[in-house]
Amino acid sequence: MNNFNTKLIFFFFGLVSSSLFHISIASIVSTGDFNKDFFVIWSPNHVNTSDDGKTRSLKLDQESGAGFASNQMFLFGQIDMQIKLVPGDSAGTVLAFYLTSDQPNRDEIDLEFLGNVSGQPYILQTNIYADGFDNREERIFLWFDPTKDFHTYSVLWNLHQIVFMVDTIPIRVYRNHADKGVAFPRWQPMSLKATLWNGDSWATRGGQDKIDWKNGPFIASFRNYKIDACVWKGNPRFCRAASSTNWWNQFNFSSLTSIQRRWFKWVRKYHMIYDYCQDNERFQNNLPKECSLPKY
């Protein structure tokens, strides 16, 4: 696909995206201030927040990584975060942005950005834990340089599906097939976390490329986040209802639109590099049940 066609497609998508993604001011529970909505969970001296609380960065060096987590827990909604990834030779680093229930049989919705050797494309790995089990990894090459500017990474999580998005483009769908015996995160509330850490035992080329500490410190930056979700108050009934506030549970968001499906297929055709549902060797020709079920 040449650059001219790509620009035309993205221009068209920008014109129609406002009709695809609902925004309900009444359901937005974040303030836009990292100091008010999050707390530091790891290495405060490696977390830097602007005076107005609107931007935050995490630092990784030989001493430590860092992380922060939301003050609230949520059951369904949409999470958006603008992130600028670690620039330069970031091999071995992992930036994780995820929802987790932190229970022994935890549910978790993961985006993990795997550092690269300079000049190589960044890998985004997604994974889903349901009832304590994962092994649902997918990997894509991002189609832009995520270190040059901020890009928006999102998760839509509702009763029907989990949709991972990059700049509003759906890159992965995990459908609720609980009625067919497939585990789906639908009961446990989750908090939102971001961490930057040393993953050089596995992150880049299976651990072959280690962190070169001479290139540190490694810094990832965050801004313009939005948490449009149901705050957990102890009763799942309120979060599972379809209402004007819980817009994500409405029928319009139960599946991808036709335009979203086209973008989803484009990502999988041109940018996907690993799909657990195609790894017969790993699962000894006994792929997980959801692999044979529809995504929308």
Side-chain angles (χ1 to χ4, degrees), residues 34 48 54-59 68 81-87 95 146-147 149-151 153 196 218-224:
F34 282 96
N48 184 54
K54 301 297 184 183
T55 62
R56 174 167 284 182
S57 64
L58 298 179
K59 180 175 71 173
F68 59 88
M81 180 75 76
Q82 288 192 353
I83 305 174
K84 183 160 67 172
L85 299 183
V86 175
L95 177 67
T147 72
D149 202 354
F150 287 88
H151 292 265
Y153 303 93
L196 178 62
F218 303 96
I219 296 174
S221 302
F222 306 79
R223 72 178 189 188
N224 292 350

Side-chain angles (χ1 to χ4, degrees), residues 71-85:
N71 293 325
Q72 306 275 12
M73 300 190 79
F74 315 99
L75 186 63
F76 306 127
Q78 181 166 319
I79 310 293
D80 306 297
M81 180 75 76
Q82 288 192 353
I83 305 174
K84 183 160 67 172
L85 299 183

